[in-house]
Amino acid sequence: MSQPKNRTELLQALEAMTPRSGERWQQAQSVLPGGLSSGARIFEPYPFYTQRADGGYIWDIDGNRYIDCCMSYGALLLGHRAPFIIEALQGQLERSTIYGTPHELEIAFAEKFVQCAPCADKVLLCNSGTEATMQGIRVARAFTGKDKIAKFECGFHGWHDYAMWSSTITPELMGPEDRPELVPDSAGIPNAVRETMLLLPFNEHAFELIRENADELAGVIIEPVIGEGTHPLEKTFLEELRQVTKANDVMLIFDEVITGFRLALGGAQEHYGVIPDIATYGKTIGGGMPVGAVGGPNEIIDKVTQSEPHISVAGTYSGNPMTLAAGNAMLGYLIENPGFYEELNTKGDQIRTEFNAFAQEKDLPGTMAGVGSMFQTHIQPPPVTRPRQALDQDQEALRDFQLYLRFNGVFIPRVHLGIVSPAHSQKDVDAIIEVHQRSLEACIAAQKNA
Ligand code: PMP
């Protein structure tokens, strides 16, 4: 397929592919803010409107089929419509969508969850990763009796007031590397929250800051693979973080909303062999339904939920039977299929290895980072191991790269990493690699034709 020569042609080609989506996009402007229900779903020239999705594919209302490497931002570990999950949901539909009373699926799900999550004897259930990190932070404050929470630059932990600080960075505002500047990611966050936050860099200065603030610091929250699954951290860094937090009575919280049950059955904890005090979960564990969870040991969870004053464990939809029907079926499947992760992660390894070899062989500025089923392309030479390094890439070429992927039939959202799933056949994996290679060449050529 011949490639559009520059961005103008590329945008025209995408518009020509998606006229009905273009009409819906106009219509949506009058009733949804910016036309969207989640800001992350914006892309150029406008988002496509989805008709349906199945396995590893997603179709738009104009009839275009894309290989889906978004996988609903990581919510789908197995791809769309895994038959046994559909069956579990259909079975639950026959018994009602929600009860507002305890039910047996809560126990079945929780037993499987604590069997797999290394840090957990008990699990608190909620409805999204955002709720999970909010609750995890509250657990840390209640347990330690301290107020401050430290997060790392570029760590994303959802969209509540304690999470939306410096999760994206700009060279103008980010401050020095060793002492990064705390910058709110949203309007409407009270400035008073700033006093309860500490921003950490991804180097040894983080450990100094933790020690300096230990008297006030309740917890440190970290994505073990930073930037929603983009940059894997070194095991030694996480080991030292574990050691420093423990020595200073600061709770270590792993945000495993992306990595939990994705990187391994025991998530990043199993992958790195580092066990935090508590961990937050979401996405994967709901089998495609809205979910969040905080897992922790008895001595922490019992203390904060049973002794006075205790934290509130609540929520109309928490532990709802539709979510837990899907989640319970999924965890059961993962437990019964021990070869699952090796097979899945091999696909990710193949995508990264072949893309990186291609970029090197053709002497093109391309690096694919990530780990397991998660991959992220940077339009720059290796190594790219930290979010600040990724700021150096050619942002215009990156923008075009993402458009070329979609033009060539692979869907990865503008602001997110790519994800491969067991629903992608070997033929799909080969196509993902080939489209990434072709799009890299095309976006570099487009810069010359701009
Ligand atoms: N933590 C991490 C690491 C995430 O990637 C996300 C979402 N991308 C969240 C928390 C928030 O999860 P949710 O969108 O379910 O609220």
Side-chain angles (χ1 to χ4, degrees), residues 1 3 67 355 358 368 401-412 428-442:
M1 200 195 319
Q3 301 295 304
I67 299 177
F355 178 86
F358 173 85
M368 198 184 268
F401 175 75
Q402 288 157 339
L403 299 173
Y404 277 113
L405 287 181
R406 194 150 22 97
F407 174 78
N408 287 294
V410 169
F411 171 50
I412 295 181
D428 295 328
V429 171
D430 293 341
I432 293 168
I433 297 166
E434 199 271 319
V435 166
H436 274 73
Q437 294 171 340
R438 196 190 313 163
S439 300
L440 178 66
E441 281 182 317

mmCIF file of all heavy atoms in Angstrom, residues 1 3 67 355 358 368 401-412 428-442:
data_model
loop_
_atom_site.group_PDB
_atom_site.id
_atom_site.type_symbol
_atom_site.label_atom_id
_atom_site.label_comp_id
_atom_site.label_asym_id
_atom_site.label_seq_id
_atom_site.Cartn_x
_atom_site.Cartn_y
_atom_site.Cartn_z
ATOM 1 N N MET A 1 0.849 -1.189 0.000
ATOM 2 C CA MET A 1 0.000 0.000 0.000
ATOM 3 C C MET A 1 0.886 1.241 0.000
ATOM 4 O O MET A 1 1.792 1.347 0.815
ATOM 5 C CB MET A 1 -0.870 0.003 1.269
ATOM 6 C CG MET A 1 -2.091 0.876 1.158
ATOM 7 S SD MET A 1 -2.919 1.247 2.738
ATOM 8 C CE MET A 1 -2.889 -0.260 3.659
ATOM 9 N N GLN A 3 2.069 4.949 0.769
ATOM 10 C CA GLN A 3 1.856 5.714 1.988
ATOM 11 C C GLN A 3 1.680 7.206 1.674
ATOM 12 O O GLN A 3 2.374 7.736 0.795
ATOM 13 C CB GLN A 3 3.074 5.551 2.914
ATOM 14 C CG GLN A 3 3.377 4.124 3.307
ATOM 15 C CD GLN A 3 2.273 3.508 4.164
ATOM 16 O OE1 GLN A 3 1.923 4.044 5.195
ATOM 17 N NE2 GLN A 3 1.711 2.393 3.725
ATOM 18 N N ILE A 67 -6.360 -3.962 13.714
ATOM 19 C CA ILE A 67 -5.834 -4.862 14.748
ATOM 20 C C ILE A 67 -5.809 -4.024 16.021
ATOM 21 O O ILE A 67 -5.185 -2.954 16.051
ATOM 22 C CB ILE A 67 -4.416 -5.376 14.396
ATOM 23 C CG1 ILE A 67 -4.457 -6.174 13.091
ATOM 24 C CG2 ILE A 67 -3.868 -6.229 15.539
ATOM 25 C CD1 ILE A 67 -3.083 -6.670 12.634
ATOM 26 N N PHE A 355 11.191 -5.176 15.778
ATOM 27 C CA PHE A 355 11.132 -3.746 15.460
ATOM 28 C C PHE A 355 12.492 -3.092 15.713
ATOM 29 O O PHE A 355 12.997 -2.346 14.876
ATOM 30 C CB PHE A 355 10.047 -3.038 16.294
ATOM 31 C CG PHE A 355 9.984 -1.565 16.039
ATOM 32 C CD1 PHE A 355 9.219 -1.045 14.998
ATOM 33 C CD2 PHE A 355 10.719 -0.672 16.812
ATOM 34 C CE1 PHE A 355 9.191 0.319 14.739
ATOM 35 C CE2 PHE A 355 10.699 0.692 16.565
ATOM 36 C CZ PHE A 355 9.925 1.190 15.522
ATOM 37 N N PHE A 358 15.023 -3.991 13.117
ATOM 38 C CA PHE A 358 14.729 -3.298 11.863
ATOM 39 C C PHE A 358 15.257 -1.855 11.904
ATOM 40 O O PHE A 358 15.928 -1.393 10.978
ATOM 41 C CB PHE A 358 13.210 -3.308 11.638
ATOM 42 C CG PHE A 358 12.736 -2.486 10.483
ATOM 43 C CD1 PHE A 358 12.715 -3.013 9.193
ATOM 44 C CD2 PHE A 358 12.284 -1.184 10.671
ATOM 45 C CE1 PHE A 358 12.260 -2.246 8.121
ATOM 46 C CE2 PHE A 358 11.840 -0.413 9.607
ATOM 47 C CZ PHE A 358 11.826 -0.951 8.327
ATOM 48 N N MET A 368 11.739 0.474 20.472
ATOM 49 C CA MET A 368 10.520 -0.008 21.107
ATOM 50 C C MET A 368 10.880 -0.495 22.502
ATOM 51 O O MET A 368 11.699 -1.379 22.675
ATOM 52 C CB MET A 368 9.882 -1.107 20.279
ATOM 53 C CG MET A 368 8.427 -1.306 20.675
ATOM 54 S SD MET A 368 7.709 -2.661 19.774
ATOM 55 C CE MET A 368 7.027 -1.841 18.353
ATOM 56 N N PHE A 401 3.759 9.078 13.212
ATOM 57 C CA PHE A 401 3.895 7.626 13.367
ATOM 58 C C PHE A 401 2.566 7.022 13.819
ATOM 59 O O PHE A 401 2.079 6.024 13.277
ATOM 60 C CB PHE A 401 5.000 7.322 14.381
ATOM 61 C CG PHE A 401 5.164 5.871 14.708
ATOM 62 C CD1 PHE A 401 5.776 5.011 13.810
ATOM 63 C CD2 PHE A 401 4.700 5.354 15.907
ATOM 64 C CE1 PHE A 401 5.919 3.654 14.103
ATOM 65 C CE2 PHE A 401 4.839 4.011 16.213
ATOM 66 C CZ PHE A 401 5.453 3.158 15.299
ATOM 67 N N GLN A 402 1.953 7.675 14.830
ATOM 68 C CA GLN A 402 0.703 7.136 15.352
ATOM 69 C C GLN A 402 -0.413 7.177 14.311
ATOM 70 O O GLN A 402 -1.262 6.283 14.255
ATOM 71 C CB GLN A 402 0.321 7.889 16.629
ATOM 72 C CG GLN A 402 1.259 7.498 17.761
ATOM 73 C CD GLN A 402 1.342 8.528 18.862
ATOM 74 O OE1 GLN A 402 1.019 9.695 18.668
ATOM 75 N NE2 GLN A 402 1.792 8.100 20.029
ATOM 76 N N LEU A 403 -0.382 8.203 13.458
ATOM 77 C CA LEU A 403 -1.381 8.285 12.386
ATOM 78 C C LEU A 403 -1.136 7.219 11.327
ATOM 79 O O LEU A 403 -2.070 6.601 10.819
ATOM 80 C CB LEU A 403 -1.345 9.671 11.740
ATOM 81 C CG LEU A 403 -1.665 10.868 12.637
ATOM 82 C CD1 LEU A 403 -1.426 12.178 11.899
ATOM 83 C CD2 LEU A 403 -3.095 10.809 13.119
ATOM 84 N N TYR A 404 0.140 6.977 11.008
ATOM 85 C CA TYR A 404 0.460 5.940 10.008
ATOM 86 C C TYR A 404 0.035 4.552 10.509
ATOM 87 O O TYR A 404 -0.417 3.722 9.723
ATOM 88 C CB TYR A 404 1.957 5.936 9.675
ATOM 89 C CG TYR A 404 2.345 6.971 8.637
ATOM 90 C CD1 TYR A 404 3.142 8.054 8.969
ATOM 91 C CD2 TYR A 404 1.912 6.853 7.312
ATOM 92 C CE1 TYR A 404 3.502 9.008 8.022
ATOM 93 C CE2 TYR A 404 2.274 7.799 6.362
ATOM 94 C CZ TYR A 404 3.057 8.874 6.716
ATOM 95 O OH TYR A 404 3.402 9.806 5.771
ATOM 96 N N LEU A 405 0.202 4.312 11.794
ATOM 97 C CA LEU A 405 -0.220 3.003 12.318
ATOM 98 C C LEU A 405 -1.699 2.781 12.006
ATOM 99 O O LEU A 405 -2.109 1.721 11.519
ATOM 100 C CB LEU A 405 -0.036 2.938 13.847
ATOM 101 C CG LEU A 405 1.365 2.833 14.420
ATOM 102 C CD1 LEU A 405 1.300 2.760 15.946
ATOM 103 C CD2 LEU A 405 2.111 1.607 13.896
ATOM 104 N N ARG A 406 -2.501 3.782 12.294
ATOM 105 C CA ARG A 406 -3.951 3.634 12.092
ATOM 106 C C ARG A 406 -4.280 3.546 10.599
ATOM 107 O O ARG A 406 -5.095 2.728 10.183
ATOM 108 C CB ARG A 406 -4.692 4.793 12.763
ATOM 109 C CG ARG A 406 -6.178 4.574 12.895
ATOM 110 C CD ARG A 406 -6.765 5.280 14.117
ATOM 111 N NE ARG A 406 -5.948 6.369 14.566
ATOM 112 C CZ ARG A 406 -6.156 7.657 14.234
ATOM 113 N NH1 ARG A 406 -7.143 7.985 13.435
ATOM 114 N NH2 ARG A 406 -5.374 8.592 14.706
ATOM 115 N N PHE A 407 -3.620 4.361 9.809
ATOM 116 C CA PHE A 407 -3.825 4.300 8.355
ATOM 117 C C PHE A 407 -3.534 2.888 7.843
ATOM 118 O O PHE A 407 -4.199 2.380 6.953
ATOM 119 C CB PHE A 407 -2.910 5.322 7.658
ATOM 120 C CG PHE A 407 -2.938 5.227 6.165
ATOM 121 C CD1 PHE A 407 -3.999 5.753 5.441
ATOM 122 C CD2 PHE A 407 -1.903 4.588 5.478
ATOM 123 C CE1 PHE A 407 -4.043 5.644 4.054
ATOM 124 C CE2 PHE A 407 -1.933 4.475 4.092
ATOM 125 C CZ PHE A 407 -3.007 5.001 3.381
ATOM 126 N N ASN A 408 -2.555 2.241 8.455
ATOM 127 C CA ASN A 408 -2.153 0.893 8.025
ATOM 128 C C ASN A 408 -2.855 -0.228 8.790
ATOM 129 O O ASN A 408 -2.479 -1.391 8.681
ATOM 130 C CB ASN A 408 -0.640 0.743 8.155
ATOM 131 C CG ASN A 408 0.093 1.523 7.068
ATOM 132 O OD1 ASN A 408 -0.012 1.196 5.897
ATOM 133 N ND2 ASN A 408 0.787 2.589 7.454
ATOM 134 N N GLY A 409 -3.864 0.152 9.597
ATOM 135 C CA GLY A 409 -4.732 -0.874 10.182
ATOM 136 C C GLY A 409 -4.350 -1.384 11.558
ATOM 137 O O GLY A 409 -4.807 -2.455 11.964
ATOM 138 N N VAL A 410 -3.520 -0.638 12.293
ATOM 139 C CA VAL A 410 -3.225 -1.032 13.686
ATOM 140 C C VAL A 410 -3.675 0.106 14.594
ATOM 141 O O VAL A 410 -3.266 1.256 14.407
ATOM 142 C CB VAL A 410 -1.718 -1.309 13.885
ATOM 143 C CG1 VAL A 410 -1.378 -1.448 15.373
ATOM 144 C CG2 VAL A 410 -1.315 -2.583 13.148
ATOM 145 N N PHE A 411 -4.520 -0.221 15.561
ATOM 146 C CA PHE A 411 -5.027 0.822 16.451
ATOM 147 C C PHE A 411 -4.276 0.847 17.775
ATOM 148 O O PHE A 411 -4.327 -0.105 18.550
ATOM 149 C CB PHE A 411 -6.524 0.626 16.712
ATOM 150 C CG PHE A 411 -7.054 1.536 17.790
ATOM 151 C CD1 PHE A 411 -6.798 2.896 17.739
ATOM 152 C CD2 PHE A 411 -7.793 1.030 18.846
ATOM 153 C CE1 PHE A 411 -7.259 3.744 18.749
ATOM 154 C CE2 PHE A 411 -8.265 1.874 19.852
ATOM 155 C CZ PHE A 411 -8.000 3.235 19.802
ATOM 156 N N ILE A 412 -3.538 1.947 17.979
ATOM 157 C CA ILE A 412 -2.935 2.252 19.282
ATOM 158 C C ILE A 412 -3.293 3.704 19.560
ATOM 159 O O ILE A 412 -3.048 4.570 18.735
ATOM 160 C CB ILE A 412 -1.390 2.096 19.256
ATOM 161 C CG1 ILE A 412 -1.023 0.641 19.005
ATOM 162 C CG2 ILE A 412 -0.777 2.585 20.573
ATOM 163 C CD1 ILE A 412 0.461 0.362 18.974
ATOM 164 N N ASP A 428 -1.409 -11.963 13.005
ATOM 165 C CA ASP A 428 -1.637 -10.598 13.510
ATOM 166 C C ASP A 428 -0.342 -10.011 14.076
ATOM 167 O O ASP A 428 -0.041 -8.838 13.861
ATOM 168 C CB ASP A 428 -2.696 -10.589 14.626
ATOM 169 C CG ASP A 428 -4.074 -11.010 14.142
ATOM 170 O OD1 ASP A 428 -4.396 -10.745 12.972
ATOM 171 O OD2 ASP A 428 -4.817 -11.614 14.940
ATOM 172 N N VAL A 429 0.390 -10.841 14.824
ATOM 173 C CA VAL A 429 1.647 -10.360 15.419
ATOM 174 C C VAL A 429 2.605 -9.938 14.304
ATOM 175 O O VAL A 429 3.216 -8.864 14.365
ATOM 176 C CB VAL A 429 2.281 -11.451 16.319
ATOM 177 C CG1 VAL A 429 3.685 -11.055 16.758
ATOM 178 C CG2 VAL A 429 1.402 -11.719 17.546
ATOM 179 N N ASP A 430 2.694 -10.753 13.257
ATOM 180 C CA ASP A 430 3.557 -10.397 12.127
ATOM 181 C C ASP A 430 3.097 -9.085 11.489
ATOM 182 O O ASP A 430 3.910 -8.240 11.111
ATOM 183 C CB ASP A 430 3.576 -11.522 11.082
ATOM 184 C CG ASP A 430 4.247 -12.787 11.625
ATOM 185 O OD1 ASP A 430 4.996 -12.684 12.626
ATOM 186 O OD2 ASP A 430 4.007 -13.888 11.072
ATOM 187 N N ALA A 431 1.768 -8.928 11.393
ATOM 188 C CA ALA A 431 1.242 -7.697 10.792
ATOM 189 C C ALA A 431 1.532 -6.493 11.700
ATOM 190 O O ALA A 431 1.866 -5.413 11.207
ATOM 191 C CB ALA A 431 -0.264 -7.832 10.556
ATOM 192 N N ILE A 432 1.417 -6.671 13.009
ATOM 193 C CA ILE A 432 1.725 -5.560 13.946
ATOM 194 C C ILE A 432 3.169 -5.102 13.723
ATOM 195 O O ILE A 432 3.454 -3.908 13.615
ATOM 196 C CB ILE A 432 1.504 -6.005 15.422
ATOM 197 C CG1 ILE A 432 0.022 -6.265 15.692
ATOM 198 C CG2 ILE A 432 2.049 -4.957 16.397
ATOM 199 C CD1 ILE A 432 -0.274 -6.987 17.013
ATOM 200 N N ILE A 433 4.079 -6.071 13.603
ATOM 201 C CA ILE A 433 5.497 -5.734 13.417
ATOM 202 C C ILE A 433 5.694 -5.022 12.077
ATOM 203 O O ILE A 433 6.319 -3.953 11.996
ATOM 204 C CB ILE A 433 6.373 -7.012 13.470
ATOM 205 C CG1 ILE A 433 6.267 -7.651 14.861
ATOM 206 C CG2 ILE A 433 7.832 -6.705 13.127
ATOM 207 C CD1 ILE A 433 6.801 -9.070 14.955
ATOM 208 N N GLU A 434 5.123 -5.598 11.047
ATOM 209 C CA GLU A 434 5.318 -5.046 9.704
ATOM 210 C C GLU A 434 4.758 -3.616 9.617
ATOM 211 O O GLU A 434 5.394 -2.713 9.062
ATOM 212 C CB GLU A 434 4.632 -5.996 8.692
ATOM 213 C CG GLU A 434 5.100 -5.845 7.272
ATOM 214 C CD GLU A 434 4.279 -4.806 6.532
ATOM 215 O OE1 GLU A 434 3.039 -4.764 6.710
ATOM 216 O OE2 GLU A 434 4.887 -4.035 5.772
ATOM 217 N N VAL A 435 3.584 -3.396 10.210
ATOM 218 C CA VAL A 435 2.972 -2.058 10.168
ATOM 219 C C VAL A 435 3.806 -1.058 10.982
ATOM 220 O O VAL A 435 3.967 0.100 10.590
ATOM 221 C CB VAL A 435 1.500 -2.117 10.672
ATOM 222 C CG1 VAL A 435 0.959 -0.730 10.966
ATOM 223 C CG2 VAL A 435 0.631 -2.825 9.641
ATOM 224 N N HIS A 436 4.368 -1.504 12.099
ATOM 225 C CA HIS A 436 5.237 -0.608 12.878
ATOM 226 C C HIS A 436 6.482 -0.225 12.067
ATOM 227 O O HIS A 436 6.914 0.931 12.079
ATOM 228 C CB HIS A 436 5.652 -1.259 14.205
ATOM 229 C CG HIS A 436 4.655 -1.038 15.303
ATOM 230 N ND1 HIS A 436 3.442 -1.687 15.346
ATOM 231 C CD2 HIS A 436 4.673 -0.222 16.382
ATOM 232 C CE1 HIS A 436 2.773 -1.281 16.414
ATOM 233 N NE2 HIS A 436 3.493 -0.402 17.058
ATOM 234 N N GLN A 437 7.050 -1.202 11.377
ATOM 235 C CA GLN A 437 8.254 -0.925 10.584
ATOM 236 C C GLN A 437 7.936 0.045 9.447
ATOM 237 O O GLN A 437 8.616 1.042 9.236
ATOM 238 C CB GLN A 437 8.825 -2.243 10.045
ATOM 239 C CG GLN A 437 9.335 -3.150 11.173
ATOM 240 C CD GLN A 437 9.703 -4.549 10.700
ATOM 241 O OE1 GLN A 437 9.263 -4.988 9.634
ATOM 242 N NE2 GLN A 437 10.497 -5.264 11.489
ATOM 243 N N ARG A 438 6.837 -0.255 8.731
ATOM 244 C CA ARG A 438 6.438 0.590 7.601
ATOM 245 C C ARG A 438 6.117 2.016 8.093
ATOM 246 O O ARG A 438 6.461 3.012 7.457
ATOM 247 C CB ARG A 438 5.187 -0.036 6.963
ATOM 248 C CG ARG A 438 4.885 0.504 5.587
ATOM 249 C CD ARG A 438 3.533 0.068 5.094
ATOM 250 N NE ARG A 438 3.271 -1.370 5.277
ATOM 251 C CZ ARG A 438 2.052 -1.903 5.226
ATOM 252 N NH1 ARG A 438 0.995 -1.150 5.000
ATOM 253 N NH2 ARG A 438 1.875 -3.194 5.391
ATOM 254 N N SER A 439 5.461 2.107 9.246
ATOM 255 C CA SER A 439 5.066 3.425 9.773
ATOM 256 C C SER A 439 6.286 4.218 10.230
ATOM 257 O O SER A 439 6.295 5.448 10.136
ATOM 258 C CB SER A 439 4.079 3.259 10.931
ATOM 259 O OG SER A 439 2.932 2.590 10.475
ATOM 260 N N LEU A 440 7.309 3.517 10.729
ATOM 261 C CA LEU A 440 8.537 4.221 11.121
ATOM 262 C C LEU A 440 9.186 4.832 9.883
ATOM 263 O O LEU A 440 9.524 6.020 9.867
ATOM 264 C CB LEU A 440 9.504 3.258 11.827
ATOM 265 C CG LEU A 440 10.838 3.873 12.237
ATOM 266 C CD1 LEU A 440 10.657 4.943 13.312
ATOM 267 C CD2 LEU A 440 11.818 2.806 12.738
ATOM 268 N N GLU A 441 9.306 4.012 8.838
ATOM 269 C CA GLU A 441 9.910 4.549 7.599
ATOM 270 C C GLU A 441 9.093 5.725 7.076
ATOM 271 O O GLU A 441 9.645 6.763 6.703
ATOM 272 C CB GLU A 441 9.950 3.446 6.526
ATOM 273 C CG GLU A 441 11.079 2.474 6.727
ATOM 274 C CD GLU A 441 11.132 1.415 5.618
ATOM 275 O OE1 GLU A 441 10.065 0.888 5.219
ATOM 276 O OE2 GLU A 441 12.243 1.127 5.164
ATOM 277 N N ALA A 442 7.765 5.553 7.087
ATOM 278 C CA ALA A 442 6.895 6.591 6.517
ATOM 279 C C ALA A 442 6.958 7.882 7.329
ATOM 280 O O ALA A 442 6.967 8.974 6.757
ATOM 281 C CB ALA A 442 5.460 6.075 6.449
#
